[in-house]
Amino acid sequence: MSFLVDSVIMFTSQVLFFGFGWLFFMRRLFKDYEVRQYIVQVVFSVTFAFSCTMFELIIFEILGVLSSTSRYFHWKVNLYVILLVLIFVVPFYIGYFVVSNIRLLQRQRLLFACVVWFTFMYFFWKLGDPFPILSPKHGILSIEQLISRVGVIGVTLMALLSGFGAVNCPYTYMSYFLRNVTDSDILALERRLLQTMDMIVSKKKRIAMTRRMMYQRGDDQNKQTGFWGMIKSVTSSPPGSENLSLIQQEVDALEELSRQLFLETVDLHATKERIEYSKTFQGKYFNFLGYFFSIYCVWKIFMATINIVFDRVGKTDPVTRGIEITVNYLGIQFDVKFWSQHISFILVGIIIVTSIRGLLITLTKFFYAISSSKSSNVIVLVLAQIMGMYFVSSVLLMRMSMPLEYRTIVTEVLGELQFSFYHRWFDVIFLVSALSSILFLYLAHKQAPEKHMTL
Amino acid sequence: MASLDRVKVLVLGDSGVGKSSLVHLLCQNQVLGNPSWTVGCSVDVRVHDYKEGTPEEKTYYIELWDVGGTVGSGSSVKSTRAVFYNSVNGIILVHDLTNKKSSQNLYRWSLEALNKDSSPTGVIVTNGDYDREQFADNQIPLLVIGTKLDQIPENKRSDVLTRTAFLAEDFNAEEINLDCTTPRYLAAGSSNAVKLSRFFDKVIEKRYFTRDGSQMPGFSERKRYGAGNSKSLHYD
């Protein structure tokens, strides 16, 4: 009986998540496009719903909601469905839509989509070879094979985004890094842009007029038909044409310049807005947060290096450690069991909410930047794939942040994976990503003021 | 010969509707082979015979300014785009017939362009919402062009065309529906070509001819190659 009730609760929450994913897709992602293939929207919302359900099950685990057998059952079901979606459904549809865009292969869409899917599966399988992720007692078709590979990809993604985010966040928040931009700089650049446009216009006028004259003269010339007419038209080229190609080259160069100037002007406008924003109260608050985050970022990089150099993996989670410190060193006595449950709930809840929100925002920005009306379906599906793998791996890694008694369910469900490997791999990629982001931002920052000094 | 009078026409619309192909077709009479993203603004020039075939025939340059981007861009992109909206004599609004959202966004595009325009008629817009009266008051000629007509199946065509007719009515403008990859839609003598010609004539009239028929001085004597244009430049 209670199993039925539990299932109903789970199902309702899944429907809610599905609705949220659907709305997000319609209102945010596909704001400027028309949804013509509803299957894309369905697949995206399903991936989102099942990923969120996994997080929900972790919360339920901590709070002790629903009976533990039904929780275990739902974990397993959810995991199978998500793996099915991430490995079979989404890649197949990505292949299908990519193939649909290519005109040559339109007829045999299904066939080529299957071919693409098989190539994906081959590389996906090969991915597992260089990593020590499985113990030999697992068979070839066990669920652990699939999860371990999904975990590798997802953890790499998480670490990359994390590393870049950890460095980029203080860089954007702090006003220390803002270049000084005045109104006159912007006006000067805009004037240059308009001057360039005027030069392009006058050259194009010459081209248009020369073409028109050639066309009119060509009409008279073409009236000479016959053998001699053909010979004449081959040997004598109209006088304007070499001139035209020269002007056309100048126009191309000027157009490239105008594009550069446009992008620089946009950049200056954006910087000016940021400067104005930083003077407001909100801006000052974010500036302060930026300093805080930069310290946090440095600490994380330091810890990652220590972990790798000294080859250690953290044994206890922050909650238990915090409680230990409070109880042993500060001498405050309280009901450990009660508080550990609540604190881990809050901590895990915060981690889940921020990671979902952060990922959705990043994906939206990414989508706006690179999508076009032809490729929007493919890109959304790729984003759904990334989202699914990201969420599965965050469950995997979150295991470390939970006290022992809650860890068991995750270990049971995901099977005997080498969890310590994933943490080590996360540290390595995080370090690489953070250091290269620092290098990249340093170069970009250095290069920008030099550009404007030449004005 | 470069001293012909000129008018400036903006070509606005969402990303990917086919503005660059359209401008290329209008100016070069050729189909654009490899369309790519327009960054910033790309200009092309069409030589147009005003009042063709009559004794008052005169040749003008029509500058088609194809401004790229999306209507929901960040404010820094919008502020930069505003630089191109100065002293505009006509606006061509382009939308994709297969994508309803691009037609809806045309309202926002026109408001963005008309807001920034510093023409003497002073179109006053308060809160950015669509208001038909603004367009009735508007002195700048508008033209609505729908692209990708070939991708609409025959049975859906009449619905789509009714919808676009309402759209054009809202803007108090003529409309043309075509496919930028076949030049036959704009072949000389077709109704589309006549509408286009009428639009350009209207733009030239509004700019150069006051209501009583006397001609306003052109800019050709005063314009120098490479003269700087500051933001508050008016044609007076």
Side-chain angles (χ1 to χ4, degrees), chain A residues 137-177:
Chain A
K137 61 183 172 173
H138 291 125
I140 193 101
L141 279 183
S142 61
I143 202 88
E144 282 85 2
Q145 297 267 4
L146 298 175
I147 299 180
S148 53
R149 286 171 170 82
V150 168
V152 167
I153 302 178
V155 166
T156 318
L157 280 171
M158 274 185 83
L160 282 174
L161 283 178
S162 221
F164 180 70
V167 172
N168 195 39
C169 172
Y171 181 73
T172 41
Y173 282 1
M174 299 204 295
S175 48
Y176 176 74
F177 295 113

mmCIF file of all heavy atoms in Angstrom, chain A residues 137-177:
data_model
loop_
_atom_site.group_PDB
_atom_site.id
_atom_site.type_symbol
_atom_site.label_atom_id
_atom_site.label_comp_id
_atom_site.label_asym_id
_atom_site.label_seq_id
_atom_site.Cartn_x
_atom_site.Cartn_y
_atom_site.Cartn_z
ATOM 1 N N LYS A 137 35.385 -7.964 -11.959
ATOM 2 C CA LYS A 137 34.299 -8.919 -11.729
ATOM 3 C C LYS A 137 32.999 -8.535 -12.437
ATOM 4 O O LYS A 137 32.036 -9.252 -12.389
ATOM 5 C CB LYS A 137 34.041 -9.067 -10.227
ATOM 6 C CG LYS A 137 33.626 -7.784 -9.545
ATOM 7 C CD LYS A 137 33.477 -8.017 -8.059
ATOM 8 C CE LYS A 137 33.260 -6.697 -7.360
ATOM 9 N NZ LYS A 137 32.950 -6.832 -5.979
ATOM 10 N N HIS A 138 32.989 -7.377 -13.103
ATOM 11 C CA HIS A 138 31.764 -7.014 -13.798
ATOM 12 C C HIS A 138 31.726 -7.614 -15.187
ATOM 13 O O HIS A 138 32.723 -7.634 -15.896
ATOM 14 C CB HIS A 138 31.655 -5.491 -13.929
ATOM 15 C CG HIS A 138 31.428 -4.834 -12.616
ATOM 16 N ND1 HIS A 138 32.233 -3.851 -12.136
ATOM 17 C CD2 HIS A 138 30.490 -5.039 -11.677
ATOM 18 C CE1 HIS A 138 31.793 -3.462 -10.961
ATOM 19 N NE2 HIS A 138 30.736 -4.176 -10.655
ATOM 20 N N GLY A 139 30.538 -8.067 -15.569
ATOM 21 C CA GLY A 139 30.390 -8.629 -16.911
ATOM 22 C C GLY A 139 30.394 -7.529 -17.955
ATOM 23 O O GLY A 139 30.492 -6.352 -17.647
ATOM 24 N N ILE A 140 30.275 -7.922 -19.197
ATOM 25 C CA ILE A 140 30.386 -6.940 -20.271
ATOM 26 C C ILE A 140 29.104 -6.136 -20.436
ATOM 27 O O ILE A 140 29.106 -5.015 -20.905
ATOM 28 C CB ILE A 140 30.780 -7.631 -21.589
ATOM 29 C CG1 ILE A 140 31.206 -6.597 -22.622
ATOM 30 C CG2 ILE A 140 29.634 -8.463 -22.135
ATOM 31 C CD1 ILE A 140 32.664 -6.509 -22.753
ATOM 32 N N LEU A 141 27.990 -6.707 -20.027
ATOM 33 C CA LEU A 141 26.745 -6.001 -20.272
ATOM 34 C C LEU A 141 26.121 -5.458 -18.994
ATOM 35 O O LEU A 141 24.923 -5.289 -18.918
ATOM 36 C CB LEU A 141 25.728 -6.950 -20.943
ATOM 37 C CG LEU A 141 25.906 -7.137 -22.441
ATOM 38 C CD1 LEU A 141 24.785 -8.033 -22.976
ATOM 39 C CD2 LEU A 141 25.866 -5.798 -23.164
ATOM 40 N N SER A 142 26.932 -5.214 -17.975
ATOM 41 C CA SER A 142 26.334 -4.744 -16.733
ATOM 42 C C SER A 142 26.125 -3.251 -16.777
ATOM 43 O O SER A 142 26.710 -2.537 -17.577
ATOM 44 C CB SER A 142 27.233 -5.104 -15.558
ATOM 45 O OG SER A 142 28.480 -4.456 -15.737
ATOM 46 N N ILE A 143 25.287 -2.823 -15.861
ATOM 47 C CA ILE A 143 24.923 -1.412 -15.844
ATOM 48 C C ILE A 143 26.120 -0.557 -15.447
ATOM 49 O O ILE A 143 26.238 0.608 -15.823
ATOM 50 C CB ILE A 143 23.733 -1.206 -14.875
ATOM 51 C CG1 ILE A 143 22.987 0.074 -15.231
ATOM 52 C CG2 ILE A 143 24.166 -1.143 -13.446
ATOM 53 C CD1 ILE A 143 21.941 -0.130 -16.228
ATOM 54 N N GLU A 144 27.054 -1.169 -14.692
ATOM 55 C CA GLU A 144 28.197 -0.384 -14.240
ATOM 56 C C GLU A 144 29.053 0.077 -15.400
ATOM 57 O O GLU A 144 29.658 1.150 -15.350
ATOM 58 C CB GLU A 144 29.080 -1.195 -13.272
ATOM 59 C CG GLU A 144 28.538 -1.288 -11.870
ATOM 60 C CD GLU A 144 27.557 -2.427 -11.747
ATOM 61 O OE1 GLU A 144 27.366 -3.131 -12.745
ATOM 62 O OE2 GLU A 144 26.995 -2.597 -10.664
ATOM 63 N N GLN A 145 29.100 -0.734 -16.460
ATOM 64 C CA GLN A 145 29.895 -0.331 -17.625
ATOM 65 C C GLN A 145 29.410 1.007 -18.161
ATOM 66 O O GLN A 145 30.189 1.905 -18.464
ATOM 67 C CB GLN A 145 29.736 -1.383 -18.737
ATOM 68 C CG GLN A 145 30.247 -2.736 -18.394
ATOM 69 C CD GLN A 145 31.685 -2.910 -18.845
ATOM 70 O OE1 GLN A 145 32.280 -1.979 -19.344
ATOM 71 N NE2 GLN A 145 32.207 -4.097 -18.672
ATOM 72 N N LEU A 146 28.061 1.092 -18.270
ATOM 73 C CA LEU A 146 27.504 2.313 -18.859
ATOM 74 C C LEU A 146 27.681 3.504 -17.929
ATOM 75 O O LEU A 146 28.096 4.577 -18.352
ATOM 76 C CB LEU A 146 26.014 2.106 -19.151
ATOM 77 C CG LEU A 146 25.707 1.005 -20.154
ATOM 78 C CD1 LEU A 146 24.212 0.814 -20.261
ATOM 79 C CD2 LEU A 146 26.294 1.349 -21.493
ATOM 80 N N ILE A 147 27.370 3.265 -16.637
ATOM 81 C CA ILE A 147 27.440 4.388 -15.702
ATOM 82 C C ILE A 147 28.850 4.920 -15.601
ATOM 83 O O ILE A 147 29.070 6.132 -15.537
ATOM 84 C CB ILE A 147 26.984 3.969 -14.295
ATOM 85 C CG1 ILE A 147 25.561 3.499 -14.332
ATOM 86 C CG2 ILE A 147 27.093 5.139 -13.345
ATOM 87 C CD1 ILE A 147 25.081 3.096 -12.989
ATOM 88 N N SER A 148 29.819 4.002 -15.593
ATOM 89 C CA SER A 148 31.194 4.465 -15.411
ATOM 90 C C SER A 148 31.610 5.372 -16.547
ATOM 91 O O SER A 148 32.240 6.401 -16.336
ATOM 92 C CB SER A 148 32.138 3.286 -15.302
ATOM 93 O OG SER A 148 31.952 2.425 -16.388
ATOM 94 N N ARG A 149 31.206 5.016 -17.774
ATOM 95 C CA ARG A 149 31.598 5.866 -18.898
ATOM 96 C C ARG A 149 30.873 7.199 -18.876
ATOM 97 O O ARG A 149 31.471 8.243 -19.123
ATOM 98 C CB ARG A 149 31.341 5.136 -20.208
ATOM 99 C CG ARG A 149 32.344 4.052 -20.443
ATOM 100 C CD ARG A 149 31.955 3.198 -21.618
ATOM 101 N NE ARG A 149 33.034 2.305 -21.967
ATOM 102 C CZ ARG A 149 33.268 1.156 -21.363
ATOM 103 N NH1 ARG A 149 32.482 0.776 -20.387
ATOM 104 N NH2 ARG A 149 34.283 0.407 -21.728
ATOM 105 N N VAL A 150 29.562 7.124 -18.584
ATOM 106 C CA VAL A 150 28.806 8.379 -18.478
ATOM 107 C C VAL A 150 29.418 9.248 -17.399
ATOM 108 O O VAL A 150 29.558 10.469 -17.546
ATOM 109 C CB VAL A 150 27.319 8.083 -18.156
ATOM 110 C CG1 VAL A 150 26.601 9.346 -17.758
ATOM 111 C CG2 VAL A 150 26.639 7.461 -19.340
ATOM 112 N N GLY A 151 29.833 8.570 -16.303
ATOM 113 C CA GLY A 151 30.453 9.307 -15.217
ATOM 114 C C GLY A 151 31.727 10.008 -15.632
ATOM 115 O O GLY A 151 31.946 11.161 -15.274
ATOM 116 N N VAL A 152 32.545 9.330 -16.440
ATOM 117 C CA VAL A 152 33.803 9.963 -16.867
ATOM 118 C C VAL A 152 33.520 11.230 -17.653
ATOM 119 O O VAL A 152 34.080 12.299 -17.393
ATOM 120 C CB VAL A 152 34.630 8.987 -17.717
ATOM 121 C CG1 VAL A 152 35.757 9.709 -18.410
ATOM 122 C CG2 VAL A 152 35.183 7.886 -16.860
ATOM 123 N N ILE A 153 32.613 11.103 -18.641
ATOM 124 C CA ILE A 153 32.313 12.280 -19.473
ATOM 125 C C ILE A 153 31.731 13.396 -18.619
ATOM 126 O O ILE A 153 32.137 14.559 -18.704
ATOM 127 C CB ILE A 153 31.314 11.919 -20.581
ATOM 128 C CG1 ILE A 153 31.868 10.811 -21.446
ATOM 129 C CG2 ILE A 153 31.015 13.132 -21.431
ATOM 130 C CD1 ILE A 153 30.915 10.370 -22.530
ATOM 131 N N GLY A 154 30.768 13.015 -17.758
ATOM 132 C CA GLY A 154 30.110 14.031 -16.952
ATOM 133 C C GLY A 154 31.057 14.713 -15.991
ATOM 134 O O GLY A 154 31.008 15.932 -15.817
ATOM 135 N N VAL A 155 31.942 13.929 -15.378
ATOM 136 C CA VAL A 155 32.879 14.530 -14.422
ATOM 137 C C VAL A 155 33.837 15.472 -15.132
ATOM 138 O O VAL A 155 34.161 16.556 -14.622
ATOM 139 C CB VAL A 155 33.641 13.424 -13.665
ATOM 140 C CG1 VAL A 155 34.834 13.989 -12.944
ATOM 141 C CG2 VAL A 155 32.731 12.755 -12.674
ATOM 142 N N THR A 156 34.261 15.084 -16.352
ATOM 143 C CA THR A 156 35.121 15.990 -17.113
ATOM 144 C C THR A 156 34.415 17.309 -17.364
ATOM 145 O O THR A 156 34.987 18.388 -17.166
ATOM 146 C CB THR A 156 35.505 15.367 -18.458
ATOM 147 O OG1 THR A 156 35.826 14.000 -18.282
ATOM 148 C CG2 THR A 156 36.637 16.104 -19.103
ATOM 149 N N LEU A 157 33.147 17.221 -17.798
ATOM 150 C CA LEU A 157 32.389 18.438 -18.063
ATOM 151 C C LEU A 157 32.259 19.295 -16.815
ATOM 152 O O LEU A 157 32.455 20.512 -16.845
ATOM 153 C CB LEU A 157 30.981 18.077 -18.539
ATOM 154 C CG LEU A 157 30.864 17.688 -19.986
ATOM 155 C CD1 LEU A 157 29.481 17.145 -20.239
ATOM 156 C CD2 LEU A 157 31.127 18.887 -20.855
ATOM 157 N N MET A 158 31.917 18.617 -15.704
ATOM 158 C CA MET A 158 31.738 19.358 -14.458
ATOM 159 C C MET A 158 33.010 20.078 -14.069
ATOM 160 O O MET A 158 32.987 21.239 -13.676
ATOM 161 C CB MET A 158 31.379 18.393 -13.325
ATOM 162 C CG MET A 158 29.941 18.100 -13.218
ATOM 163 S SD MET A 158 29.666 17.105 -11.779
ATOM 164 C CE MET A 158 29.603 18.380 -10.560
ATOM 165 N N ALA A 159 34.132 19.354 -14.169
ATOM 166 C CA ALA A 159 35.396 19.952 -13.745
ATOM 167 C C ALA A 159 35.775 21.117 -14.646
ATOM 168 O O ALA A 159 36.256 22.142 -14.180
ATOM 169 C CB ALA A 159 36.496 18.894 -13.744
ATOM 170 N N LEU A 160 35.530 20.970 -15.975
ATOM 171 C CA LEU A 160 35.855 22.063 -16.888
ATOM 172 C C LEU A 160 35.048 23.308 -16.549
ATOM 173 O O LEU A 160 35.582 24.405 -16.421
ATOM 174 C CB LEU A 160 35.550 21.650 -18.330
ATOM 175 C CG LEU A 160 36.571 20.750 -19.004
ATOM 176 C CD1 LEU A 160 36.049 20.325 -20.364
ATOM 177 C CD2 LEU A 160 37.883 21.466 -19.165
ATOM 178 N N LEU A 161 33.718 23.102 -16.412
ATOM 179 C CA LEU A 161 32.861 24.242 -16.121
ATOM 180 C C LEU A 161 33.197 24.859 -14.770
ATOM 181 O O LEU A 161 33.219 26.069 -14.612
ATOM 182 C CB LEU A 161 31.392 23.810 -16.126
ATOM 183 C CG LEU A 161 30.786 23.603 -17.498
ATOM 184 C CD1 LEU A 161 29.356 23.127 -17.372
ATOM 185 C CD2 LEU A 161 30.828 24.885 -18.281
ATOM 186 N N SER A 162 33.473 23.958 -13.814
ATOM 187 C CA SER A 162 33.800 24.400 -12.471
ATOM 188 C C SER A 162 35.063 25.225 -12.454
ATOM 189 O O SER A 162 35.126 26.281 -11.832
ATOM 190 C CB SER A 162 34.030 23.152 -11.638
ATOM 191 O OG SER A 162 33.521 23.239 -10.443
ATOM 192 N N GLY A 163 36.090 24.716 -13.140
ATOM 193 C CA GLY A 163 37.370 25.416 -13.161
ATOM 194 C C GLY A 163 37.235 26.782 -13.800
ATOM 195 O O GLY A 163 37.700 27.790 -13.272
ATOM 196 N N PHE A 164 36.562 26.801 -14.951
ATOM 197 C CA PHE A 164 36.402 28.083 -15.620
ATOM 198 C C PHE A 164 35.550 29.020 -14.784
ATOM 199 O O PHE A 164 35.856 30.206 -14.651
ATOM 200 C CB PHE A 164 35.777 27.888 -17.005
ATOM 201 C CG PHE A 164 35.591 29.164 -17.742
ATOM 202 C CD1 PHE A 164 36.681 29.866 -18.214
ATOM 203 C CD2 PHE A 164 34.325 29.688 -17.937
ATOM 204 C CE1 PHE A 164 36.519 31.060 -18.874
ATOM 205 C CE2 PHE A 164 34.159 30.882 -18.605
ATOM 206 C CZ PHE A 164 35.259 31.573 -19.074
ATOM 207 N N GLY A 165 34.464 28.482 -14.206
ATOM 208 C CA GLY A 165 33.581 29.318 -13.401
ATOM 209 C C GLY A 165 34.271 29.884 -12.180
ATOM 210 O O GLY A 165 34.089 31.042 -11.829
ATOM 211 N N ALA A 166 35.123 29.058 -11.549
ATOM 212 C CA ALA A 166 35.802 29.516 -10.339
ATOM 213 C C ALA A 166 36.720 30.691 -10.636
ATOM 214 O O ALA A 166 36.903 31.576 -9.808
ATOM 215 C CB ALA A 166 36.604 28.377 -9.724
ATOM 216 N N VAL A 167 37.308 30.701 -11.832
ATOM 217 C CA VAL A 167 38.207 31.807 -12.173
ATOM 218 C C VAL A 167 37.426 32.987 -12.729
ATOM 219 O O VAL A 167 37.689 34.143 -12.412
ATOM 220 C CB VAL A 167 39.249 31.324 -13.197
ATOM 221 C CG1 VAL A 167 40.066 32.476 -13.707
ATOM 222 C CG2 VAL A 167 40.140 30.284 -12.572
ATOM 223 N N ASN A 168 36.431 32.691 -13.565
ATOM 224 C CA ASN A 168 35.702 33.760 -14.240
ATOM 225 C C ASN A 168 34.836 34.562 -13.285
ATOM 226 O O ASN A 168 34.646 35.761 -13.475
ATOM 227 C CB ASN A 168 34.829 33.142 -15.330
ATOM 228 C CG ASN A 168 34.330 34.178 -16.292
ATOM 229 O OD1 ASN A 168 35.048 35.085 -16.644
ATOM 230 N ND2 ASN A 168 33.084 34.053 -16.698
ATOM 231 N N CYS A 169 34.308 33.889 -12.255
ATOM 232 C CA CYS A 169 33.380 34.552 -11.337
ATOM 233 C C CYS A 169 34.019 35.746 -10.642
ATOM 234 O O CYS A 169 33.489 36.848 -10.728
ATOM 235 C CB CYS A 169 32.859 33.503 -10.358
ATOM 236 S SG CYS A 169 31.889 34.159 -9.037
ATOM 237 N N PRO A 170 35.170 35.593 -9.979
ATOM 238 C CA PRO A 170 35.769 36.801 -9.403
ATOM 239 C C PRO A 170 36.179 37.816 -10.465
ATOM 240 O O PRO A 170 36.076 39.015 -10.249
ATOM 241 C CB PRO A 170 37.006 36.285 -8.652
ATOM 242 C CG PRO A 170 37.079 34.859 -8.850
ATOM 243 C CD PRO A 170 35.873 34.375 -9.548
ATOM 244 N N TYR A 171 36.592 37.337 -11.628
ATOM 245 C CA TYR A 171 37.029 38.280 -12.668
ATOM 246 C C TYR A 171 35.887 39.185 -13.099
ATOM 247 O O TYR A 171 36.075 40.380 -13.320
ATOM 248 C CB TYR A 171 37.575 37.495 -13.872
ATOM 249 C CG TYR A 171 38.072 38.345 -15.004
ATOM 250 C CD1 TYR A 171 39.264 39.047 -14.905
ATOM 251 C CD2 TYR A 171 37.352 38.459 -16.184
ATOM 252 C CE1 TYR A 171 39.720 39.831 -15.940
ATOM 253 C CE2 TYR A 171 37.804 39.239 -17.225
ATOM 254 C CZ TYR A 171 38.987 39.917 -17.101
ATOM 255 O OH TYR A 171 39.433 40.693 -18.130
ATOM 256 N N THR A 172 34.674 38.614 -13.232
ATOM 257 C CA THR A 172 33.558 39.453 -13.665
ATOM 258 C C THR A 172 32.978 40.262 -12.519
ATOM 259 O O THR A 172 32.477 41.357 -12.736
ATOM 260 C CB THR A 172 32.430 38.617 -14.274
ATOM 261 O OG1 THR A 172 32.264 37.448 -13.491
ATOM 262 C CG2 THR A 172 32.723 38.232 -15.688
ATOM 263 N N TYR A 173 33.022 39.711 -11.292
ATOM 264 C CA TYR A 173 32.412 40.436 -10.191
ATOM 265 C C TYR A 173 33.236 41.637 -9.755
ATOM 266 O O TYR A 173 32.713 42.674 -9.416
ATOM 267 C CB TYR A 173 32.226 39.506 -8.983
ATOM 268 C CG TYR A 173 31.052 38.578 -9.106
ATOM 269 C CD1 TYR A 173 30.244 38.564 -10.225
ATOM 270 C CD2 TYR A 173 30.741 37.695 -8.085
ATOM 271 C CE1 TYR A 173 29.179 37.714 -10.321
ATOM 272 C CE2 TYR A 173 29.674 36.840 -8.171
ATOM 273 C CZ TYR A 173 28.894 36.850 -9.298
ATOM 274 O OH TYR A 173 27.834 35.992 -9.378
ATOM 275 N N MET A 174 34.555 41.459 -9.731
ATOM 276 C CA MET A 174 35.355 42.522 -9.132
ATOM 277 C C MET A 174 35.547 43.665 -10.107
ATOM 278 O O MET A 174 35.832 43.455 -11.282
ATOM 279 C CB MET A 174 36.715 41.978 -8.706
ATOM 280 C CG MET A 174 36.587 40.891 -7.668
ATOM 281 S SD MET A 174 38.049 40.739 -6.684
ATOM 282 C CE MET A 174 39.202 40.222 -7.900
ATOM 283 N N SER A 175 35.420 44.871 -9.621
ATOM 284 C CA SER A 175 35.583 46.016 -10.508
ATOM 285 C C SER A 175 37.038 46.393 -10.665
ATOM 286 O O SER A 175 37.366 47.305 -11.416
ATOM 287 C CB SER A 175 34.785 47.202 -9.975
ATOM 288 O OG SER A 175 35.050 47.355 -8.606
ATOM 289 N N TYR A 176 37.926 45.713 -9.977
ATOM 290 C CA TYR A 176 39.354 45.998 -10.104
ATOM 291 C C TYR A 176 39.822 45.791 -11.535
ATOM 292 O O TYR A 176 40.699 46.488 -12.035
ATOM 293 C CB TYR A 176 40.104 45.068 -9.154
ATOM 294 C CG TYR A 176 41.593 45.168 -9.222
ATOM 295 C CD1 TYR A 176 42.256 46.245 -8.688
ATOM 296 C CD2 TYR A 176 42.337 44.160 -9.833
ATOM 297 C CE1 TYR A 176 43.629 46.328 -8.745
ATOM 298 C CE2 TYR A 176 43.704 44.232 -9.891
ATOM 299 C CZ TYR A 176 44.348 45.319 -9.345
ATOM 300 O OH TYR A 176 45.698 45.384 -9.421
ATOM 301 N N PHE A 177 39.199 44.802 -12.194
ATOM 302 C CA PHE A 177 39.652 44.449 -13.526
ATOM 303 C C PHE A 177 38.992 45.262 -14.632
ATOM 304 O O PHE A 177 39.284 45.061 -15.795
ATOM 305 C CB PHE A 177 39.366 42.970 -13.811
ATOM 306 C CG PHE A 177 40.146 42.051 -12.934
ATOM 307 C CD1 PHE A 177 39.502 41.275 -11.988
ATOM 308 C CD2 PHE A 177 41.504 41.960 -13.044
ATOM 309 C CE1 PHE A 177 40.213 40.420 -11.179
ATOM 310 C CE2 PHE A 177 42.221 41.116 -12.243
ATOM 311 C CZ PHE A 177 41.578 40.339 -11.309
#
